Amino acid sequence: MASFDLSQYGIHVNEIHRNTAVPVLYEIGLRKEPGTAISDVGALLVYSGEKTGRSPKDKRIVRSPESEKNIDWGDINIGLDQHTYMVNHERAIDYLNICERLFVVDAFAGWDPKYRIKVRIICTRAYHALFMQNMLIMPSAEELENFGEPDYVVFNGGGFPANSYTSEMTSKTSVDVHLERREIVILGTQYAGEMKKGIFGVMNYLMPLQGVLPMHCSANVGTEGDVTILFGLSGTGKTTLSADPKRKLIGDDEHCWTDEGTFNIEGGCYAKAINLSAESEPDIFNAIRFGTVLENVVYDKVTREVDYTDTSITQNTRASYPIHHIENVQVPCVAGHPKHVIFLTCDAFGVLPPVSKLSPEQASYHFISGYTAKVAGTEMGITEPQATFSACFGAAFMMWHPNTYAELLAEKIRRHEVTAWLVNTGWTGGAHGTGSRIKLKYTRAMIDAIHHGDFEGVDFTEDSAFGFQIPKSCPGVPDEVLVPENTWEDQQAYQATKAKLVGLFQENFKKFEAGVHAAIRAAGPKLP
């Protein structure tokens, strides 16, 4: 086969597959990668090995004079020196050089040509190549011919461990981002999501430099061109709720908001597959077919039928498919300015209302707070839901201080007269363990009501602690479900749990107070 040349990176492997046809990737994966199989509907069944989720504590950013002053260093953005980076880089190159075959994916991140970047993925598995061909925006034959030098290169040596004796390494896993060399090096994890989120992190650094807001959110658009963006961490319903048969999907996870409107960063979707069914999530269920990667799922060895309820490998089972597998999709994935911004949270305490309307100041407060519960399986070691605050609903991927993103959001909400909402997809009638998860059909009805303007004529009640406006009625939802207090049998326990949650919000926000506007500080919850 005509081989693609990677000698500029010190890689001298004879068999290199670039932007490979999907059937060819299937054939190589099935022949050469143990455990790979085809499901009864034609999806590629793959295993990521020991790591079945991201390893955020093993992510590093190289300290360089040009970018150092812009980065919010700390527990999330952990620094790495140039020398150690080069040790890991050489380790990855050495490993890639001993592989029988390599895969190259040359593609784009960002649907808007004005802002997109050219990305090159160099990896060792057909599974990883197919995953990234799904997740990035694939160039046409002409674009590929004129691709030139990429803006960023990902060296995925994940099949080989980092050396834990190397300084600053915390384990055998290492994901290193070098903004000046425009590279990402992956060692010691074959979880494909590290490549996708590595590129998202890079976009989160680059876009604010151009006055663009990068967002960890899903987005869709109605027949009138009205755009809704839904923020939320994994497990809050971001993918599920954006796949709405009544609206066109723009994307399920990563977007940018520019002076012209919104665009999707990705070319595909990466949906959680736990408990997936044709009844609850028909769009996602039907997207799983030939070309889809099904990660770490359990299946019947005879029929090849997948059991989406079986989480014996991981709670974080996933499906990766190109966006055109969704029937109702906006391609190119570009649209106008949002009319609604929805913050999705999964409140394990059962205190936040299923839907509430926020003032612009409250929107900024809740965006900076980024409250949810970490649901089992999203990260290694999380088995029980835990209350967590993740700034901008995606702190793990944000390189600047949260205020940078919050100010961009506030400015865009004001300029485009956007309505902000908080939607709780978590617990009702009590905290996790006592109450129950809010029914998906109720959440869908509330989001429909937002889109149809059904809340414009209804009465609202103000929450005594959080101050946001709770509608007293919603089509298709029992009235008592709307006000959390009414769903708890034990009122004393409700008040105590609410006080605890308010305290958690206040404690978390202390680290941001110095840098935010007084009106945003005042928009936080207070105990009456």
Side-chain angles (χ1 to χ4, degrees):
M1 57 173 291
S3 191
F4 186 65
D5 185 28
L6 294 175
S7 58
Q8 70 196 86
Y9 308 113
I11 297 171
H12 307 283
V13 173
N14 289 326
E15 187 185 332
I16 297 173
H17 302 264
R18 183 189 188 212
N19 289 27
T20 312
V22 175
V24 177
L25 290 174
Y26 265 62
E27 288 162 5
I28 297 171
L30 290 164
R31 286 192 188 122
K32 304 290 186 181
E33 295 173 20
T36 305
I38 298 181
S39 82
D40 61 340
V41 295
L44 193 68
L45 299 160
V46 300
Y47 294 99
S48 65
E50 184 189 344
K51 295 291 176 87
T52 57
R54 287 184 299 102
S55 303
K57 291 181 172 58
D58 296 311
K59 191 189 88 178
R60 299 287 182 272
I61 299 169
V62 179
R63 289 184 181 272
S64 297
E66 297 96 311
S67 58
E68 193 166 6
K69 64 184 182 301
N70 297 333
I71 290 171
D72 184 30
W73 300 104
D75 295 341
I76 290 164
N77 296 315
I78 305 167
L80 187 70
D81 65 87
Q82 303 275 350
H83 175 79
T84 307
Y85 173 80
M86 291 313 297
V87 169
N88 287 344
H89 180 275
E90 184 158 327
R91 199 169 172 89
I93 298 296
D94 287 347
Y95 170 66
L96 293 170
N97 267 318
I98 61 166
C99 292
E100 188 182 335
R101 76 191 58 78
L102 295 177
F103 300 89
V104 172
V105 178
D106 280 346
F108 303 111
W111 279 88
D112 187 333
K114 187 175 167 186
Y115 300 102
R116 73 184 183 189
I117 63 169
K118 295 186 289 183
V119 177
R120 173 166 292 163
I121 307 290
I122 303 171
C123 57
T124 64
R125 294 185 64 179
Y127 142 45
H128 288 156
L130 180 55
F131 177 90
M132 288 310 284
Q133 287 184 190
N134 285 345
M135 300 317 301
L136 291 169
I137 301 151
M138 296 306 289
S140 65
E142 188 186 350
E143 285 172 330
L144 187 59
E145 199 178 322
N146 301 313
F147 196 76
E149 286 304 306
D151 297 310
Y152 270 79
V153 182
V154 177
F155 298 97
N156 188 347
F160 198 66
N163 184 336
S164 49
Y165 289 102
T166 305
S167 67
E168 300 187 68
M169 293 296 101
T170 40
S171 77
K172 290 188 179 298
T173 298
S174 180
V175 180
D176 303 336
V177 181
H178 198 312
L179 292 165
E180 274 65 36
R181 284 176 64 98
R182 299 188 300 188
E183 295 173 346
I184 298 172
V185 168
I186 298 171
L187 292 168
T189 173
Q190 296 190 60
Y191 179 64
E194 294 288 10
M195 294 181 286
K196 163 189 148 67
K197 288 302 189 190
I199 297 300
F200 184 43
V202 165
M203 289 294 277
N204 273 301
Y205 178 76
L206 296 175
M207 290 297 105
L209 293 167
Q210 301 180 62
V212 172
L213 173 64
M215 305 176 289
H216 185 221
C217 70
S218 58
N220 59 30
V221 58
T223 51
E224 306 292 310
D226 54 305
V227 174
T228 292
I229 52 180
L230 298 101
F231 285 97
L233 295 167
S234 292
T236 56
K238 196 161 71 334
T239 298
T240 301
L241 294 167
S242 61
D244 182 336
K246 298 175 290 298
R247 297 169 66 81
K248 285 188 171 179
L249 180 71
I250 303 167
D252 82 322
D253 196 41
E254 303 173 2
H255 293 80
C256 290
W257 189 350
T258 71
D259 288 341
E260 294 84 38
T262 40
F263 70 84
N264 187 356
I265 292 173
E266 300 186 294
C269 301
Y270 192 34
K272 285 178 86 75
I274 185 171
N275 298 326
L276 184 65
S277 72
E279 294 72 43
S280 64
E281 297 171 71
D283 292 293
I284 296 169
F285 191 85
N286 294 330
I288 296 173
R289 54 181 190 265
F290 183 78
T292 297
V293 175
L294 272 179
E295 212 173 39
N296 299 319
V297 296
V298 176
Y299 60 93
D300 185 300
K301 295 292 185 279
V302 177
T303 65
R304 294 293 195 268
E305 189 180 346
V306 174
D307 181 356
Y308 292 110
T309 64
D310 190 327
T311 56
S312 54
I313 296 171
T314 176
Q315 297 256 352
N316 192 33
T317 52
R318 293 274 184 164
S320 154
Y321 46 86
I323 199 148
H324 58 78
H325 276 204
I326 295 278
E327 207 168 295
N328 203 15
V329 69
Q330 170 105 341
V331 176
C333 303
V334 180
H337 294 289
K339 184 178 178 184
H340 298 286
V341 168
I342 297 173
F343 300 123
L344 297 170
T345 182
C346 171
D347 177 25
F349 291 98
V351 165
L352 295 180
V355 62
S356 52
K357 191 176 179 180
L358 308 178
S359 69
E361 292 75 25
Q362 287 167 344
S364 292
Y365 180 91
H366 284 277
F367 181 63
I368 292 172
S369 299
Y371 165 70
T372 191
K374 261 183 194 164
V375 179
T378 306
E379 286 176 17
M380 303 296 294
I382 304 293
T383 53
E384 282 285 302
Q386 295 178 354
T388 185
F389 293 88
S390 181
C392 313
F393 292 95
F397 323 117
M398 305 295 160
M399 292 202 194
W400 298 76
H401 191 279
N403 289 345
T404 301
Y405 305 103
E407 283 170 12
L408 278 166
L409 179 72
E411 184 260 330
K412 289 181 188 298
I413 283 178
R414 272 196 305 272
R415 193 191 315 165
H416 303 291
E417 298 177 342
V418 181
T419 310
W421 306 83
L422 185 69
V423 170
N424 173 24
T425 62
W427 277 259
T428 181
H432 170 69
T434 307
S436 58
R437 194 90 191 249
I438 293 164
K439 288 179 180 171
L440 180 58
K441 69 174 181 182
Y442 291 164
T443 304
R444 287 196 190 281
M446 291 176 231
I447 287 179
D448 283 347
I450 289 171
H451 290 145
H452 298 153
D454 292 335
F455 292 136
E456 282 166 25
V458 306
D459 290 334
F460 285 81
T461 180
E462 186 173 297
D463 185 274
S464 58
F466 284 89
F468 37 52
Q469 302 294 312
I470 304 170
K472 290 184 177 179
S473 64
C474 174
V477 182
D479 290 354
E480 62 271 14
V481 171
L482 295 168
V483 182
E485 201 168 349
N486 300 342
T487 67
W488 284 60
E489 281 181 24
D490 186 339
Q491 286 298 305
Q492 220 172 339
Y494 169 75
Q495 295 299 341
T497 308
K498 188 173 188 175
K500 180 182 178 183
L501 184 59
V502 168
L504 289 169
F505 265 93
Q506 291 172 337
E507 186 60 34
N508 171 70
F509 208 78
K510 282 178 183 172
K511 58 180 173 283
F512 305 115
E513 280 179 351
V516 304
H517 198 276
I520 297 171
R521 290 200 298 274
K526 303 163 201 65
L527 287 171

